[in-house]
Amino acid sequence: DVPGNVDGFNGLNNSVTWTWGGGSVLPVQANPVRIVEPDLSIDKRATPQRANYGATIHFTIDIAHTAASSTDAFDVIVTDQILAGLTIDTATISVTGTASTPGNFAYNFDVATNILTVTWDVFPLGTTGRIEFDALFVGPAPVTNSASVQWTSLPIDPQPSGLPEQLSPYNDFSTERWYDPTDTTGLNPYNTSDQVRISLPPIRDSPEDGPAILPTTGFAPNVVTELPSMP
């Protein structure tokens, strides 16, 4: 986990020289090693994004490898904080996709924190994952719902402290790549997020609101219609 070891680097090697009193052998060098790293994307969508209070919103979260990804991802964790303006229907939660094989994934909704968590032990290169659920739109509007995904580079469980396991006692940097929110080096960008915004329908037609989806009133749009006093 050092700056010289980044995805695509193809000249990593190791050499050794053996010497003794009165003689030596020429240095021997191992075959060059190419560095590969996983890179994931997240795409969150809601249908519809404009709705009245009491409407059911269908959420879809897609996880996939990006074009830059070159190997499997491990210990993948998707976290979705369901805000107070939405009430999730836990019976509608589903996890599908080619990475979601039996025994490889799990999900949990914590009612105390309103956090939905989905995990995959391994997310093979080229596979996908999809999370879907319904939620009741209770407001107040607007409500922004975001989800994030994080992962690691090796199939190694972290220490009880949550820090990555050191693989060699001789090298302080012999750890897997993982998402560290306190890291300022930029070496471990193993996290990304996406969000959607749920709002009320526009009251009338306007270029910024788009087509009105409230019931037709019978009055001309964008015109003040005066109603005289009724007898």
Side-chain angles (χ1 to χ4, degrees):
D1 192 21
V2 295
N5 294 343
V6 293
D7 186 58
F9 182 72
N10 200 30
L12 186 67
N13 53 37
N14 181 260
S15 61
V16 61
T17 301
W18 186 17
T19 63
W20 62 91
S24 66
V25 296
L26 294 176
V28 178
Q29 182 171 286
N31 295 330
V33 173
R34 179 175 179 268
I35 303 299
V36 293
E37 291 187 76
D39 188 52
L40 299 182
S41 65
I42 185 170
D43 178 34
K44 180 157 191 175
R45 303 181 303 281
T47 305
Q49 284 188 246
R50 292 177 182 267
N52 291 311
Y53 294 140
T56 296
I57 311 296
H58 183 74
F59 290 93
T60 303
I61 306 171
D62 284 325
I63 311 299
H65 284 266
T66 68
S69 186
S70 52
T71 189
D72 301 345
F74 299 91
D75 305 317
V76 175
I77 304 174
V78 172
T79 304
D80 191 333
Q81 173 73 67
I82 310 299
L83 299 181
L86 297 166
T87 301
I88 188 172
D89 181 357
T90 55
T92 64
I93 299 173
S94 70
V95 182
T96 57
T98 53
S100 307
T101 55
N104 187 49
F105 77 96
Y107 69 85
N108 176 69
F109 180 71
D110 189 330
V111 295
T113 60
N114 282 340
I115 294 178
L116 172 63
T117 304
V118 182
T119 60
W120 288 267
D121 294 334
V122 57
F123 211 91
L125 182 63
T127 61
T128 62
R130 170 170 287 186
I131 305 162
E132 296 180 88
F133 62 88
D134 292 340
L136 197 67
F137 183 35
V138 296
V143 175
T144 300
N145 182 237
S146 62
S148 65
V149 58
Q150 64 185 67
W151 61 95
T152 68
S153 63
L154 293 172
I156 303 170
D157 291 332
Q159 303 178 59
S161 64
L163 297 175
E165 190 74 33
Q166 185 174 321
L167 304 183
S168 170
Y170 307 106
N171 187 343
D172 293 340
F173 300 101
S174 61
T175 65
E176 63 182 342
R177 290 278 163 88
W178 66 301
Y179 172 60
D180 179 6
T182 64
D183 181 19
T184 59
T185 65
L187 284 178
N188 299 283
Y190 279 32
N191 172 272
T192 188
S193 62
D194 194 23
Q195 64 182 27
V196 290
R197 186 173 183 266
I198 312 300
S199 58
L200 292 170
I203 297 176
R204 61 182 178 84
D205 289 322
S206 68
E208 52 276 358
D209 284 336
I213 57 176
L214 288 179
T216 302
T217 64
F219 296 102
N222 303 319
V223 174
V224 176
T225 303
E226 294 185 3
L227 299 178
S229 298
M230 296 290 102

